[in-house]
Each structure stands twice: as C-alpha cells, then as structure tokens.
Amino acid sequence: MIKHFTSITDAPNPNALIQRALEIKRAVRRPPSAVHRKTLVLLFFNPSLRTRLSTEKAAQNLGMNVITMNADAGWKIELEDGTVMDGDKAEHVREAAGVISQYADVIGIRSFPTLKDRDWDYAEVVLNQFKKYASVPIISLESATVHPLQSLADAVTIEEFKTKPRPKVVLTWAPHVRALPQAVPNSFVEWMKTRDVELVVTHPPGAELAQQFVENVRVEYDQQGAFEGADFIYAKNWSSYTDYGQIISPKENWMVTPEKMALTDNARFMHCLPVRRNVVVADAVLDDPRCLIFEQAKNREVAAQAVLEEIMKSGN
Ligand code: AN0
Ligand code: CP
C-alpha cells in the first residue's frame, strides 16, 4: 500500500512495483478476450460539445474505454517532416501519434482548418500526418475540410424524417459573424450525393464551395427560389473558399426566417449546431416543432457507434 506517488521515497519497495508492472504487461499482452477492453483516445485541437459527448457515449455503449484529451491550449505539435525543432513546438507528430498508438486501439482527431492557407488546409496535414504515423485506425471528429460523423448523422436523420421517396434537400448558406470552415457543407454535399434526394445548394456569389465537392450539384444564387418545394432546409455558414477564409457579407439577408420557410413544402429545418440565434436562423424557426436539431444531435451517437463497431469488426 502506498498513499501518494510523488517520488521514489513514496514506494517502500520499488522492485516490487517493477515486477508487478512487468506481470501486468505480460497479462495485457495475452488478454482473455472478454476482459480486454478496446480503448478510444479522442484528441481535440478545437473545442466540441456534440462530437465529444456523442463519440464518448458511443464508445461506452460498445464497452470501450475512452480517454479524451483537450489539446487546444498549450500543446504545440510539429507536423512538418525534416524540420529543425528549435522553435516553440516541443513534440513531433511522429512521436505523438506513435505514443498514443501504444494506448489506443482507435484515435479520434478534431482539427479545424487554419482558414489562412488553403492548400495546407485542403491537404489535411494534421489528419494525414496522424494517419501516417499512428499504428491504429484514425477517426475524423471534423477535420479541415470534412465532418463525416456529422454528415452520417444528418443522412440518418433525413432517412428517418423523409415523407417522400425522393425528398428535396436544400443546403443554404447563412450569415455568421466569424469565419467558419467549409467542412460541414463539403461533407453534407458529399454524403447527400450518395442518397436518393433532389439536392440543391444555395449561397450568395463568393460562397462557392470547392469544385471537387459541388461537381454535378445544382447551385442556385436565389435563396427563395431554392426554398420552393423543399422538404429539408439545412442551414450552415461557411467562409469563402475562393477568397480563402474571408467572411462573406452579401447585401441581402440570408438568415433563415419563418417567411422563407413558408416557401417550402412544410420543410424540416436542420443545422449541425452550434448555431447563433437570430444571425443564422430566427428563433421562431429553431423553436418550431418541425426543427430537427435535437434529432440530429441524438443521431450523432448512433452514427459514431456504427462507425466504431465497423472499425472493431475489421479486427483492429
Ligand atoms: C464549427 C464549424 O463550422 O465547422 C463546428 C460545426 C460542427 N462551427 C462553429 O464553430 C460555429
Ligand atoms: N456539430 C458538431 O460537431 O458540434 P461540436 O463542434 O460541438 O462537436
């Protein structure tokens, strides 16, 4: 029995501890399968409410251990190969990813774009360096350019709430006071393209998304025209891709209002959250019973669970 463990003087028999650690290691190496619990390590380089809670809960539902690290403050990691590390970055991603892989069976990473260097962001340097140097599977918790767990949950939600075989799904740009990533719209479009839906993207000039995402997608600059006959309105702000990272400020008001929703075919309103009330969307739309924001948030859990289960099935 030891009370504290702050120095060797706290351990009456250091050798006993060494031997016990080696014993544990041998047992862990050959685990009875029912006892060995898989471990998920979640690394957040940016804050999160939904992704963090839903992914932790999904992992717990599967009987996994979860370790979450908030890496948004103070942990500066070197991502470039071959650099002389004489600046402020104390650890290279090679070691960080390699070390986390010693504890984790799966690693989740949330990493927003810089919104300054488009090529760097769209090369997905953070995610790809972890993928390259970790020895276990990597899950995106929203990377620089996509947010697949969100889009999977959104696709599940649309599947649940559609009342027509081929609903009209409208992704509308909406205003915001800060420059936000294109990850959610990029991903939403990518996933909707695989579904049996009539997809329309509407945004003001200057808000064009990257060609690789919107190729063959109907884009309309007239928001109200796009809303006509819609079954789902999915609102999201994003900053400019062409004038990279800049806030777009159109002359007309692109906020989603009850008046605009009245143009639809009694559409359901969707947003990934967090949302700024009366900037992105009016209170009356969010508080209307046809709004699906909590259903979307709820579906984040089953989406994450389905993904984790699939990864585990692959024998990882
Ligand atoms: C983030 C974004 O636009 O990517 C997170 C959305 C899931 N949104 C905000 O920071 C408001
Ligand atoms: N929608 C979403 O991913 O929210 P968080 O940023 O809170 O995780």
Side-chain angles (χ1 to χ4, degrees):
M1 272 258 298
I2 52 179
K3 189 169 181 195
H4 299 291
F5 190 71
T6 59
S7 98
I8 192 164
T9 54
D10 287 330
N13 186 350
N15 186 53
L17 277 181
I18 293 167
Q19 295 311 322
R20 179 62 192 141
L22 287 170
E23 237 175 64
I24 292 168
K25 189 165 180 186
R26 282 190 290 271
V28 168
R29 274 207 192 130
R30 279 175 276 100
S33 55
V35 173
H36 181 61
R37 282 151 61 91
K38 302 272 186 184
T39 299
L40 174 68
V41 173
L42 302 176
L43 270 182
F44 285 92
F45 290 102
N46 307 93
S48 160
L49 174 66
R50 284 143 289 271
T51 306
R52 176 180 172 152
L53 296 183
S54 61
T55 312
E56 286 190 0
K57 185 148 181 243
Q60 286 163 6
N61 293 347
L62 291 168
M64 299 177 82
N65 295 314
V66 192
I67 304 170
T68 299
M69 266 187 78
N70 286 332
D72 54 340
W75 192 37
K76 293 204 176 71
I77 194 165
E78 177 60 62
L79 292 156
E80 311 296 332
D81 288 320
T83 43
V84 177
M85 288 173 58
D86 58 358
D88 61 344
K89 292 172 184 151
E91 180 136 31
H92 197 280
V93 64
R94 280 185 184 236
E95 282 74 50
V99 166
I100 297 165
S101 302
Q102 306 304 312
Y103 313 127
D105 297 288
V106 183
I107 302 173
I109 296 182
R110 147 89 41 123
S111 164
F112 282 169
T114 62
L115 293 181
K116 289 184 173 71
D117 183 340
R118 188 170 90 176
D119 291 341
W120 197 84
D121 287 347
Y122 273 70
E124 290 285 10
V125 175
V126 181
L127 195 78
N128 284 330
Q129 288 294 75
F130 269 94
K131 235 175 167 170
K132 189 166 163 192
Y133 294 122
S135 56
V136 298
I138 300 289
I139 293 183
S140 164
L141 306 173
E142 186 179 2
S143 67
T145 68
V146 286
H147 193 358
L149 282 176
Q150 179 67 53
S151 305
L152 172 55
D154 295 337
V156 170
T157 310
I158 289 173
E159 196 56 32
E160 279 182 313
F161 286 91
K162 70 177 185 188
T163 53
K164 297 173 189 167
R166 192 164 190 273
K168 180 175 178 182
V169 175
V170 178
L171 167 66
T172 179
W173 183 90
H176 204 281
V177 290
R178 287 185 51 219
L180 295 185
Q182 295 108 31
V184 170
N186 284 346
S187 232
F188 185 73
V189 167
E190 217 171 32
W191 283 71
M192 281 305 117
K193 276 174 161 176
T194 70
R195 310 296 302 157
D196 193 11
V197 300
E198 182 192 344
L199 176 65
V200 178
V201 179
T202 183
H203 59 68
E208 289 76 13
L209 293 166
Q211 194 53 30
Q212 67 261 36
F213 293 100
V214 288
E215 207 159 37
N216 303 322
V217 171
R218 202 164 110 210
V219 176
E220 290 183 16
Y221 293 107
D222 170 18
Q223 188 188 35
Q224 307 211 8
F227 272 42
E228 276 168 28
D231 299 294
F232 293 90
I233 297 294
Y234 193 106
K236 181 72 184 87
N237 167 268
W238 60 90
S239 61
S240 177
Y241 173 76
T242 43
D243 189 8
Y244 194 63
Q246 293 306 302
I247 294 175
I248 302 151
S249 311
K251 277 193 274 317
E252 315 80 58
N253 192 350
W254 278 70
M255 181 170 82
V256 179
T257 59
E259 294 72 31
K260 291 178 189 171
M261 290 301 287
L263 301 167
T264 68
D265 191 6
N266 202 18
R268 296 289 198 160
F269 177 81
M270 298 177 74
H271 192 285
C272 63
L273 306 181
V275 72
R276 294 206 181 208
R277 285 174 169 259
N278 304 310
V279 174
V280 172
V281 50
D283 280 339
V285 176
L286 279 176
D287 301 334
D288 189 279
R290 297 196 62 75
C291 170
L292 293 177
I293 49 174
F294 295 124
E295 283 78 4
Q296 288 173 267
K298 186 165 181 59
N299 283 335
R300 292 294 307 271
E301 181 182 338
V302 288
Q305 194 168 328
V307 168
L308 286 169
E309 201 177 70
E310 218 32 57
I311 288 181
M312 294 301 147
K313 253 197 240 161
S314 326
N316 293 296

